[in-house]
Amino acid sequence: MGEEAITAVSFGSPIVIICSAIGTTISVGFQNQSLKSLSRGDRETAGKALTETLIIGLLISLVVIMLTFSYTGTIVNHLGLDNTDSSYLPCIEYIKGMILGLPAMTVMAIFVRGTHIEGRHREAGIAVAVMACINLLGDLVCVKLLHTGLY
């Protein structure tokens, strides 16, 4: 990684934290709804909560992606870089690449919380391991086949 890439990752890291916060916030809401339903023995309502949460989470993710793509330059400016900095364009590319992972982060957060709620800790671990393997595979494809670097 060159100096520009390292700077881009450093300046773009708040976006990763925001993505994680969005997914976690949505999944906590699901967890609360599900626990109420499950405490009453109502698995059907808990299942509906999961479906609704997934739909809402994906819609929010898509809106955030569209806004980020529309205002990436402004976001990078507010992070402290301007278009004269050599790291400006790498930072824009990094942020756009990271934000595309928001739907996956959101779905994973919802499913991991959902499997823990029902006491299926093994399945939650498997879900995280599968997500990590897919992430590594995606990184390999980006680096080896597309020559775009890691996101």
Side-chain angles (χ1 to χ4, degrees), residues 66-128:
M66 289 187 296
L67 289 172
T68 301
F69 269 76
S70 297
Y71 298 101
T72 310
T74 304
I75 292 168
V76 172
N77 288 337
H78 286 294
L79 291 172
L81 294 174
D82 61 32
N83 58 3
T84 61
D85 290 307
S86 61
S87 299
Y88 183 78
L89 290 177
C91 190
I92 286 177
E93 290 176 25
Y94 177 73
I95 289 173
K96 286 181 177 180
M98 285 305 302
I99 202 69
L100 289 174
L102 180 57
M105 289 179 188
T106 302
V107 168
M108 185 186 80
I110 293 167
F111 276 128
V112 167
R113 287 203 185 271
T115 53
H116 280 300
I117 287 172
E118 293 186 352
R120 299 182 319 188
H121 304 293
R122 181 173 174 257
E123 289 89 344
I126 291 170
V128 171

Side-chain angles (χ1 to χ4, degrees), residues 14-95:
I15 303 303
V16 176
I17 294 167
I18 290 169
C19 290
S20 178
I22 290 170
T24 301
T25 302
I26 293 168
S27 68
V28 167
F30 157 70
Q31 183 178 14
N32 292 335
Q33 285 182 304
S34 293
L35 287 174
K36 284 182 190 176
S37 300
L38 290 174
S39 69
R40 294 188 305 260
D42 188 356
R43 293 182 68 81
E44 184 178 330
T45 302
K48 286 180 182 176
L50 173 64
T51 302
E52 291 170 359
T53 304
L54 285 171
I55 291 169
I56 290 168
L58 290 173
L59 288 174
I60 290 171
S61 296
L62 293 175
V63 168
V64 171
I65 287 170
M66 289 187 296
L67 289 172
T68 301
F69 269 76
S70 297
Y71 298 101
T72 310
T74 304
I75 292 168
V76 172
N77 288 337
H78 286 294
L79 291 172
L81 294 174
D82 61 32
N83 58 3
T84 61
D85 290 307
S86 61
S87 299
Y88 183 78
L89 290 177
C91 190
I92 286 177
E93 290 176 25
Y94 177 73
I95 289 173

